[in-house]
Amino acid sequence: MVRKLLEALMGNLGVELDDSKMDAFIGKKMVNMNFYPTCPNPELTVGVGRHSDMSTLTILLQDGIGGLYVRVPEDVDMEKKGEWIEIPPIPGAIVINVGTKVQSIECELHAQNLECQQQYS
């Protein structure tokens, strides 16, 4: 599944991955599974805080709780550019977050490494 997702993502970026490059992305083929039960006192929670996913891909199965935020890039013509906005949860939806490894390839392709890295931090 990860191989197919990467091939689709990289294909859209115009990058063709041979087996050695694919192995570098997939790495140890490690899977982490986390479950965060509903908190009885959500007003007391802190959450994970701002971060980027160091992995290649992060796959989330959404529930109705929410808590996923994204930063609107500065160069987007939107009212909230540069701000963090909450993504409304859709119970049962699968969200695929692109990790730092894939973002670095995108930055190299666009030859805006510094600007791109700042966008994702």
Side-chain angles (χ1 to χ4, degrees), residues 47-115:
V48 177
R50 287 186 345 181
H51 69 281
S52 63
D53 295 332
M54 299 301 288
S55 60
T56 301
L57 299 173
T58 299
I59 302 171
L60 306 167
L61 175 61
Q62 286 193 318
D63 55 20
I65 305 293
L68 176 63
Y69 288 79
V70 296
R71 185 174 167 269
V72 178
E74 296 285 345
D75 61 349
V76 172
D77 187 22
M78 283 181 64
E79 186 178 311
K80 298 188 177 223
K81 60 183 170 182
E83 295 181 31
W84 288 87
I85 58 171
E86 184 171 13
I87 303 301
I90 301 172
I94 294 177
V95 176
I96 300 174
N97 289 338
V98 176
T100 308
K101 287 183 181 181
V102 176
Q103 290 171 0
S104 66
I105 292 293
E106 182 183 9
C107 290
E108 288 177 26
L109 288 174
H110 293 289
Q112 300 171 353
N113 203 341
L114 181 59
E115 290 179 27

Side-chain angles (χ1 to χ4, degrees), residues 3-23:
R3 179 178 287 274
K4 292 288 186 194
L5 288 170
L6 280 173
E7 287 172 352
L9 288 168
M10 291 302 172
N12 285 326
L13 291 173
V15 175
E16 194 171 318
L17 298 176
D18 60 24
D19 286 339
S20 65
K21 289 179 183 174
M22 185 62 77
D23 289 342

Side-chain angles (χ1 to χ4, degrees), residues 12-41:
N12 285 326
L13 291 173
V15 175
E16 194 171 318
L17 298 176
D18 60 24
D19 286 339
S20 65
K21 289 179 183 174
M22 185 62 77
D23 289 342
F25 273 109
I26 295 175
K28 297 179 182 179
K29 298 172 185 77
M30 189 169 141
V31 174
N32 291 325
M33 299 181 85
N34 298 308
F35 172 70
Y36 301 102
T38 304
C39 179
N41 299 321

